[in-house]
Amino acid sequence: MKKSLLTLGLATLAMSSFAGERILYQQNFETAADPEAAGWTAYRGIISIVSDEYGKFLEVNQNGQNQGTTYGYWGPEIYLDKEGNSVLEDGTYKMHFEFQIKNSDCNQYNSEITVFTNHMPVTNQGYRTPWSPAGYWQNYLFDCSQLDNGTKDALQYVIDGGTVENDGSYSIDWADPNTLAANTWYLVDLDVNVNTREVEYNVQTITYEDVKSGSLTVPETNIADGSDISMYAEGLFLSLARTKTTYDIDNIKIYFDSEHDFANEPTVALTRLGKTEDDELELNLRAYTINFLDGETLHLIGTNGATEEVDWADCDGAYVYETTTSGTLTAWTTCGDAESEKVAVEVDCTPCKLPGVKAAISSVDPGFAKTYTLTVSNTEVPLQPTIFISYEFKGVNGETLSDEDLGSGAKVTVSEEGTLTLTASAFGYESTTVTVKNDTEFGLKKQYDFARMTEEEIMAAGFPEFAILNAESGGGFNSWTSRRYLYYRLEGSMTVNDNGDEVWTNVYPFGWVTNDNEDNVVKYTVINNIDKAGAAGSEEAAENAANVDNVKDEVFKGLTVFPKTGKNSPWKDPYAETEELKQVPHYGTPNVGMLYHVGLFNDQTINNDNTIIVHDLAASDIVVVNKISGYGGNVNHPVCATNEEYYEQIAGDDTIYSVAADGATNEETGEISLSFPLYRIDTALTYIKVYAPVGGDAVEAVEAVVAGDNYWYSIDGVRVAQPTRPGLYIHNGKKIIIK
């Protein structure tokens, strides 16, 4: 929720606050150290406490994962006294929370928000209709389920709407959905009567426009297993659809109206630092907002030892305390004869220094040329401000680069030796400057350029057959054609439309429908690294299986592709010479395929060994891995004149591995290798490049893409048919000087 509305006090949230209101549980994440400390657990995805200009809140981000679940649990203890008896005076209580749908998923619609009682949710499943264990749960007081009835409207939700038929069957009534808006906070209020088992619910927008109200009668026992159903809200459950879904949660509050005086602890939260209310810079300034309820009186002892007494009417329950003096701030409330516990906060008024910018190598070229990705995190910074990055590069040969006000994740590419100076800044905070020495020269040690292999090279590597991909409908390998992501902008075709937008003619060299092109994605049939022929359980198969981890150079010199048995093992070779041989089971890895001019791919989806292992490395090496996705998320679209130019330029995203940090050493042989995964059929491995520091023995011959090829290479890795001028060349893995 926008915290500016909280200046009206917590009374505004509940719309019914008065003297004697007793808060049983409250979490607005302003003072929570992290999600786990606030009682939240996530399975898949990421949970974090984030902030905007209005304050902090909990964010759940699926971050590319399939369906995941998150829940906050406070348990039944908040409703009980020390003897285990209910503290509710008339058997009723209220609950309030707020949520925001920041982002919905692209193709799955099974998100859900549930207030659950005495039934812990199952990991990565919906609450009301879990697929395992079979059945459904009625242990809930409120539910908001995403409409999953084929409409593909990601913002339609059914609020409550669960029904139990006479025969005991359960279903969600999808006929009356509500369309919620993205990036909009919604307020949920529940009135729970434990005795009558009735729940009155009301959902509103942040501006108090009604979305839906209704009632729910909670059964005494669960039809699924006959267990008792509690009326105490014990937690808040989120089931998020796959990959892109992001939800926010804020201002959870459980309370009841007491007939007796009761003073609640005030909430004390840092809400401003380093600047005045008028945005004037004052680095030692700290401002804390202290919230308390209508009917209560706030008492505090400031960091300078002075005492204050504040009535609710003086500030509408949101008192702002400012100080430039470090010390202890103590606050408590009174209501009639009742006095709350004291809340003590240690205040540090020294200027808050920002963390330094980190520069990670994200691309390497021969020489000193590198691309650095600049990042800085505000996670540990009070109030999590937006931190801006500025950089300046001075090269030894005169290259100068600079830019400012960049966000985390910005990139800078340098071409020579020099010094990169990085500064992190945010208004109200002390800036931090660090320097990075770009003084390591790298040379290309070896490479595997799968996307540039010729048809002859592909055949020589062991891919004997191929098929044409050119399907219009999506799914599987058709993603490479049907999704229309592999294209370039035709050089000279750019025009400007009536809106002033640049418009290009897009060319799809690999095709996307059958009748509009001549070039097609060529899919070569799979090969297996290790042919472990023989019946299952045979001595030959067992012996080969035992040695599988030590096998390399079977297809590509210095490389092992998918070293273990694949998902579909045992398999039979449909291209064997005789019918008898076609029936021989194999226990290798029939997962490795090639897309011509695109790259190496994994011919499976899940549950197979998809590891690529690069061998013969040194600890000082850097390995650059480039992948391209058929879903198009990382496909660039250069301006080209011909298909051939496009084939030369198409590339995915580089992933940089430091062998020293990411490699593994064989304790018996001392060999250093690096492993990384190649995902399923929608991702192709474009190339692998290994760089080593220049000046040592680490820079060896540029090894051929295919083991045993007969090509010549210049020292920087460029293949030539025959040397035409004097120099140092690589041939059959050896250095040769041509005079």
Side-chain angles (χ1 to χ4, degrees), residues 515-542:
N515 60 2
D516 77 337
N517 71 95
E518 296 179 356
D519 294 287
N520 304 275
V521 175
V522 178
K523 170 195 170 186
Y524 281 81
T525 53
V526 296
I527 58 175
N528 50 302
N529 269 354
I530 310 155
D531 184 2
K532 294 180 282 185
S538 67
E539 292 184 5
E540 182 182 7

Side-chain angles (χ1 to χ4, degrees), residues 73-81 85-86 117-118 230 232-235:
Y73 182 71
W74 48 82
E77 292 79 13
I78 65 171
Y79 306 92
L80 307 176
D81 60 20
N85 301 314
S86 173
T117 65
N118 58 329
S230 170
Y232 293 148
E234 296 187 11

